[in-house]
Amino acid sequence: MLDRAVIDGLFPTDLPEPQYWEDRYPERDLPDGAKVTRLGPSPTGFIHIGGVYVGMIDRDVSSNSGGVYLVRVEDTDQSREVEGALEQFARAFEYFGISSDEDKDHGAYGPYLQSGREQIYLTYVRHLLRQGKAYLCFATKDELADITARQQASKLPTGYYGKWAIWRDADPSDVAAKLAEGAPYVVRFRTPDDANGQRTSFEDAIRGRLEHEANRNDAVILKSSDQSPRLPTYHFAHAVDDHLMRVNLVIRGDEWISSVPLHQQLFAALEFEPIQYAHIAPLMKQIPGGKRKLSKRKDPEAGVDFYIGAGFPADAVLYYLRGLANGRLAELPLAEALSTPIDLSLCGAAGPLVDLVKLEDISADHIATLSGEQILDAVRTWATQYDAELVPVLDNEKDLALRALAVERDGVENPRKDLRKWSDFRSAYGFFFSELFEPVDGPDDERLAPLGVAADVTRAFAADVVAGYEHRDDPQEWFGQVRDLAAKHGFAPNAKEYKKNPDAYPGSIREASQLVRVAITGATRSPDLHATAQALGEPEVLRRLRALAGTA
C-alpha cells in the first residue's frame, strides 16, 4: 500500500476531505417515502425517446411521492461530446415537461454537470486510495490487449482481475518509480478479495429480487492522469453523485443490471447507504420475424427531435408512453391517464413496442378535443421553428384559419380527425389560404385528369357555374345549383345511370361535383365542400371557379 504522503501528493493540496462534501450536501428535508430521482443523459449524442420515457417516469414517481426530480448531465466522456447536445436536451425536456426541479440557479446540490464536480470525485478517489480500496495502474493499452488475448485463448472471462491485475499488488517502490518517470496512470477500484466466485442479490423495484455473480473486475474509477479535467468513469461518478445528491431511487435502462454488483461494491467501499434501483425494459420496434431495441442509428422515430419536428402534441406522446409503462393507463381518458400515478411494480420486464400508427391515432383523437384557438396557437408555435412561411399566413388570416378549423369539427358529434400532428396542418388546411393554394390551371390541369371529363365540357360547365353562382347558406340549395348545371351539361344524375351507358354522358353528378371540389380545394378529397366554401367566402370561391373555367 502506498504511503499516505505519496497518495496526497497526487492531488491538489487544498482538496477537501469527504466530511466537507457530506456537510455541504446534507440529507434532504423531505416527507417519509419521498423519492429523489434523477435522469442522467450523456451529451455524446442527442436524447432518445427512451430518455423521455425514463424521465417521464422519474418525474412522475418523484412528484407523486413529494420528492425531487433532477437532471444530472453525465459529460465525463468529453472527447465524444456532440455539439448542440445540451441545447437539444433542454429543448426536449421543456417540450415534454420533464425539466429538472433543480438547476444551477435553483438547486443546492449542484453542479448538475459532472464535468463541474471534479473536486468532489478526487476527494473520494483519494479517500479510497488512502484506505487501500483503490490503487494506481500503469498498464498500457498493449499490455491490456495482451491480457485479453491470453484470457480468450484460455477461454477465461476477460477483465482485469486476480493474477491478470498486474498492478493490483505492485511493490510501492515500483509504483514510485513509475510516478518519478511521469508515466500516466489510472486509478482502479480494488475489488474485495472474497468477491471471486461469489453471488450477490438485490431487490429491483420493477423486477423483484435479482441475483448475479459478484463483480470480479478491478474497474477503472478515475481516468488517465494525463487528462484534464481529471474525471471519473460512469460507475464511480454515479455512486458519488447519487449519494451526495441524496438520490434514493435510480430508474434506468435494464442494460445496467449487470453493473449493479460493481455498484454495490462501490457503495460499500465508500460507506454509503445503498440505494434502490428500478431497471426499465427498453422501447422496442417490430421487425420482420420479431422485434429489437429502438435504435437512434437505424430508426428516425427513436430520436426525440422526430416527435418535436413533426409536431406531435406533447400530451399525446406522454399519454402513449404512460400506456407503455403501465398498460392500465392506456385504457383511461387522456387527462385522467396523465394525472394517475405510474406504478413501478406494474412496469413490465419485456420491452414495449413503439407503434407510430397507434401514436398517430391517439394524437388525432387528442387534437380533435381541442378548440380552434388551441390548435392555431400550437400550430403557430410549432411553425415558428419548422415552417416559417406558415407563420405570417396564420397571423394575417387568423379568422380564416379558425373558420377552416371549424369545418366538420365545431358542433358535431364526431369531429374531423385530419390533424395527427402540427406538421399536417399545411397539407390538411393549406388550401384555405390563397398564399398557399395553387388554383387549377384551366380545364387541362393535371389534377382534373383522374375525373376523365373532356376539357371543353369542363370549361363550359365551369363558366355556367361562375355566371350563376349564388353563395347560399343552405347546403342542399348550394349543391342544387351544381346539380342543375350538371344536368344541363349532360352529366348522368347518378353513378348507376352513368355505368349503364358511359358513352352517353361526360360523367355523372359525382364527376361534376368533383370538378367543383378540385377547383375549390385542389384535391378530390377534402372536408365538407359547402362548409369549406362558406369558410372561404364568395369572392375566393368565385376566383377559384374562374380558374377552372380558364377565365381567371
Side-chain angles (χ1 to χ4, degrees):
M1 181 173 169
L2 283 181
D3 182 79
R4 177 168 175 148
V6 174
I7 293 171
D8 288 357
L10 302 174
F11 297 89
T13 56
D14 60 349
L15 191 66
E17 295 295 327
Q19 192 58 47
Y20 171 84
W21 302 114
E22 297 289 337
D23 294 340
R24 177 171 170 179
Y25 302 113
E27 292 285 346
R28 294 174 181 268
D29 183 17
L30 295 171
D32 289 344
K35 298 299 183 184
V36 180
T37 64
R38 52 79 167 168
L39 182 66
S42 168
T44 54
F46 296 146
I47 196 164
H48 188 286
I49 190 63
V52 171
Y53 181 62
V54 174
M56 172 197 72
I57 298 172
D58 275 322
R59 171 166 283 290
D60 187 88
V61 170
S62 65
S63 62
N64 282 300
S65 64
V68 175
Y69 158 72
L70 58 91
V71 174
R72 182 180 69 230
V73 177
E74 297 179 347
D75 60 344
T76 58
D77 192 355
Q78 296 193 315
S79 64
R80 294 175 55 223
E81 187 166 323
V82 173
E83 185 177 355
L86 293 178
E87 292 77 11
Q88 193 259 358
F89 290 173
R91 184 169 65 249
F93 297 156
E94 181 180 6
Y95 191 84
F96 289 107
I98 55 170
S99 296
S100 180
D101 289 334
E102 300 180 350
D103 57 34
K104 61 184 178 63
D105 298 319
H106 304 92
Y109 290 80
Y112 295 93
L113 274 72
Q114 287 185 332
S115 59
R117 301 173 68 84
E118 180 182 13
Q119 271 206 321
I120 300 173
Y121 304 131
L122 293 180
T123 289
Y124 286 94
V125 170
R126 184 183 65 183
H127 180 62
L128 291 185
L129 284 169
R130 286 172 175 175
Q131 294 182 315
K133 296 177 180 178
Y135 61 92
L136 308 188
C137 175
F138 297 89
T140 65
K141 289 182 179 179
D142 287 343
E143 288 174 324
L144 293 173
D146 177 64
I147 288 171
T148 300
R150 286 189 287 142
Q151 289 170 335
Q152 290 173 336
S154 301
K155 294 183 169 45
L156 293 172
T158 58
Y160 197 84
Y161 63 91
K163 71 174 185 178
W164 307 102
I166 55 180
W167 284 94
R168 178 181 171 98
D169 297 312
D171 190 287
S173 62
D174 292 335
V175 174
K178 281 289 187 182
L179 288 173
E181 68 182 56
Y185 63 88
V186 298
V187 178
R188 288 185 180 272
F189 173 61
R190 184 185 297 275
T191 304
D193 292 329
D194 60 357
N196 192 28
Q198 298 299 309
R199 305 286 292 177
T200 186
S201 64
F202 70 99
E203 194 73 25
D204 189 282
I206 292 174
R207 299 159 188 268
R209 181 156 292 277
L210 297 177
E211 184 176 299
H212 286 269
E213 183 179 2
N215 171 64
R216 66 160 66 87
N217 282 295
D218 288 358
V220 174
I221 58 174
L222 189 65
K223 297 176 184 179
S224 183
S225 57
D226 57 0
Q227 295 180 7
S228 181
R230 190 84 186 278
L231 295 174
T233 58
Y234 165 80
H235 301 294
F236 189 72
H238 115 271
V240 172
D241 289 341
D242 285 343
H243 169 70
L244 291 178
M245 290 177 159
R246 309 303 172 176
V247 172
N248 56 19
L249 175 63
V250 172
I251 302 170
R252 61 186 182 182
D254 64 4
E255 68 271 18
W256 292 106
I257 290 177
S258 61
S259 298
V260 173
L262 169 59
H263 297 166
Q264 288 178 316
Q265 292 172 351
L266 288 171
F267 270 80
L270 291 162
E271 299 177 356
F272 295 162
E273 283 292 321
I275 58 178
Q276 186 173 33
Y277 293 103
H279 290 94
I280 297 287
L283 299 179
M284 308 293 283
K285 180 183 179 76
Q286 189 76 51
I287 59 172
K291 60 181 182 178
R292 60 165 170 76
K293 286 185 181 181
L294 199 61
S295 163
K296 280 194 290 188
R297 185 170 58 85
K298 298 178 182 178
D299 308 312
E301 69 270 28
V304 170
D305 281 344
F306 170 84
Y307 300 88
I308 300 175
F312 281 96
D315 280 352
V317 177
L318 291 171
Y319 172 65
Y320 179 61
L321 293 178
R322 291 173 79 85
L324 295 182
N326 282 178
R328 65 192 176 95
L329 299 181
E331 307 302 320
L332 300 177
L334 184 142
E336 185 178 351
L338 293 182
S339 63
T340 299
I342 292 173
D343 185 340
L344 285 178
S345 70
L346 297 180
C347 291
L353 288 170
V354 173
D355 182 347
L356 283 181
V357 174
K358 177 65 174 175
L359 173 59
E360 289 200 343
D361 287 344
I362 287 172
S363 185
D365 288 342
H366 170 57
I367 292 173
T369 68
L370 303 178
S371 69
E373 288 277 4
Q374 288 173 311
I375 293 172
L376 192 56
D377 286 347
V379 170
R380 190 191 183 285
T381 299
W382 169 84
T384 54
Q385 185 168 355
Y386 298 101
D387 190 354
E389 182 189 45
L390 187 57
V391 176
V393 175
L394 297 179
D395 289 346
N396 296 333
E397 300 281 4
K398 181 177 180 179
D399 288 344
L400 173 58
L402 291 174
R403 292 199 304 272
L405 287 167
V407 173
E408 292 189 89
R409 293 187 72 256
D410 288 2
V412 298
E413 287 188 12
N414 296 307
R416 188 174 179 84
K417 297 177 181 177
D418 47 4
L419 283 181
R420 299 158 298 172
K421 48 194 181 296
W422 308 134
S423 58
D424 291 340
F425 183 87
R426 181 185 278 264
S427 60
Y429 291 94
F431 71 86
F432 278 93
F433 306 94
S434 58
E435 299 95 323
L436 306 178
F437 179 72
E438 183 181 349
V440 295
D441 186 16
D444 293 315
D445 191 287
E446 62 180 13
R447 287 171 286 180
L448 300 169
L451 302 180
V453 179
D456 59 333
V457 175
T458 297
R459 183 179 292 105
F461 169 71
D464 272 2
V465 172
V466 170
Y469 181 78
E470 294 182 12
H471 200 64
R472 298 173 179 173
D473 293 335
D474 183 87
Q476 296 302 319
E477 292 182 1
W478 188 86
F479 277 106
Q481 59 189 323
V482 175
R483 188 178 298 107
D484 291 346
L485 287 174
K488 173 184 173 182
H489 288 271
F491 287 88
N494 53 59
K496 184 177 180 181
E497 290 297 320
Y498 177 57
K499 286 181 180 180
K500 283 182 182 180
N501 192 4
D503 293 335
Y505 306 100
S508 71
I509 182 62
R510 177 186 179 280
E511 282 70 37
S513 298
Q514 289 290 68
L515 288 173
V516 175
R517 185 180 298 277
V518 173
I520 292 176
T521 71
T524 56
R525 299 183 64 183
S526 72
D528 179 81
L529 192 54
H530 173 260
T532 297
Q534 294 299 307
L536 287 169
E538 184 173 357
E540 180 63 16
V541 170
L542 282 170
R543 184 179 78 87
R544 297 183 182 192
L545 290 173
R546 290 190 187 100
L548 177 64
T551 59

